[in-house]
Amino acid sequence: MSLLELNDVRKHFGTVQALRGVTFSVEPGQVVGLVGDNGAGKSTLMKTITGVHVPDGGTIRFDGTELNGRHPGDIRALGIEMIYQDLALARMQDVASNIFLGREPTRRVLGTPLRVIDRGRMEREAEVMIKKLGARVPSVQYIVGQLSGGQQQSVAIARALTFNPKLVIMDEPTAALAVREVEHVLDLIRELKRARIAIILISHRLTDVFAVCDRIVALRQGVVVADDPILETSMNDVVAHIVGAA
Ligand SMILES: Nc1ncnc2c1ncn2[C@@H]1O[C@H](COP(=O)(O)OP(=O)(O)O)[C@@H](O)[C@H]1O
Ligand SMILES: [Mg+2]
């Protein structure tokens, strides 16, 4: 059974048909590159998987469960994490707070039924995750807005991994990074793959896609126009599919 199965997924906004029947699947531990020109429907497709958008039709199954119409929080709890292009980090807060944003561990106040955020546990677990990722973040108490682009990307990835997802969706994770930082993010993706976490990598940088992906899916005007193992395609082929010259 595939981990994620999309069948004939459709979504429109007013008169714009953003997705016109998208069908593809992702196997456990597989890294799938999702490419396509601006406006092809990549972000809409991912937001439909994560429950931000409700599809007009078609089915989305994840790990045996139908996702259609479920809330983003439920879908996240089933094991799908999304790292948005703008990272959606709280820039004024520190690293530990960002990793647990909205899902903070709590502890009971001694002798009362009250619960408060368990700051100590949060920092300890954030520390472990940052170390595991080899992220060069000075401390989990550091304010995120003061970190470099690559460090912020590491924090976003750490946040995605803290709750043991089965699938991580990354929207342009290397677009804003310096060359050395790109290598680090690609290494992280390889490490997630070794840990059997499936990844959908949206990227305009075909060299990155070819460096880490097992398969490449090209979307054009809301439909899948190519779905090939990386070893059976080439950058020229992929570009031709993206621009519609194939
Ligand atoms: N919330 C929205 N409201 C109206 N139109 C949208 C919305 N989101 C996306 N679209 C439109 O849907 C199409 C696909 O967009 P998008 O999924 O963002 O493409 P991509 O991520 O591949 O660049 C575009 O024509 C875009 O303008
Ligand atoms: Mg997009």
Side-chain angles (χ1 to χ4, degrees), residues 11-19 34-47 53 85 171-172 202 204 219 221-222:
K11 177 72 189 171
H12 78 285
F13 301 104
T15 57
V16 177
Q17 286 295 333
L19 305 175
L34 180 66
V35 300
D37 214 345
N38 283 333
K42 304 179 298 293
S43 296
T44 302
L45 182 60
M46 295 306 115
K47 287 177 183 168
H53 295 316
Q85 192 161 6
D171 200 348
E172 295 284 358
I202 300 178
H204 273 101
L219 211 58
Q221 295 174 0

Side-chain angles (χ1 to χ4, degrees), residues 51 131 162 171 237:
K131 278 232 179 68
T162 301
D171 200 348
D237 285 348

Side-chain angles (χ1 to χ4, degrees), residues 29 31 129-135 157 161 170 183-199 212:
V31 183
M129 191 48 81
I130 289 289
K131 278 232 179 68
K132 204 160 115 188
L133 288 178
I157 293 173
L161 298 183
M170 301 182 176
E183 266 319 306
H184 185 63
V185 169
L186 296 180
D187 282 341
L188 281 180
I189 291 174
R190 293 185 186 102
E191 220 165 284
L192 303 196
K193 181 180 163 62
R194 278 194 290 274
R196 296 281 292 161
I197 296 172
I199 296 168
V212 293

Side-chain angles (χ1 to χ4, degrees), residues 28-83:
Q30 197 175 46
V31 183
V32 176
L34 180 66
V35 300
D37 214 345
N38 283 333
K42 304 179 298 293
S43 296
T44 302
L45 182 60
M46 295 306 115
K47 287 177 183 168
T48 307
I49 296 169
T50 57
V52 174
H53 295 316
V54 178
D56 300 329
T59 53
I60 305 173
R61 291 181 73 79
F62 177 72
D63 216 11
T65 306
E66 190 158 325
L67 299 187
N68 300 48
R70 283 179 193 264
H71 292 291
D74 297 342
I75 291 172
R76 214 173 167 194
L78 287 170
I80 302 181
E81 288 282 343
M82 168 118 190
I83 301 173

Side-chain angles (χ1 to χ4, degrees), residues 5 25 35 37 40 42 67 76 85 88-89 93 106 113 121 128 140 148 154 169 173 179 183 187 197 210 216 244:
E5 286 178 61
S25 49
V35 300
D37 214 345
K42 304 179 298 293
L67 299 187
R76 214 173 167 194
Q85 192 161 6
L89 295 170
Q93 293 188 34
T106 58
R121 186 174 147 207
V128 168
V140 295
S148 74
S154 302
I169 300 170
V179 175
E183 266 319 306
D187 282 341
I197 296 172
F210 275 80
I216 185 157

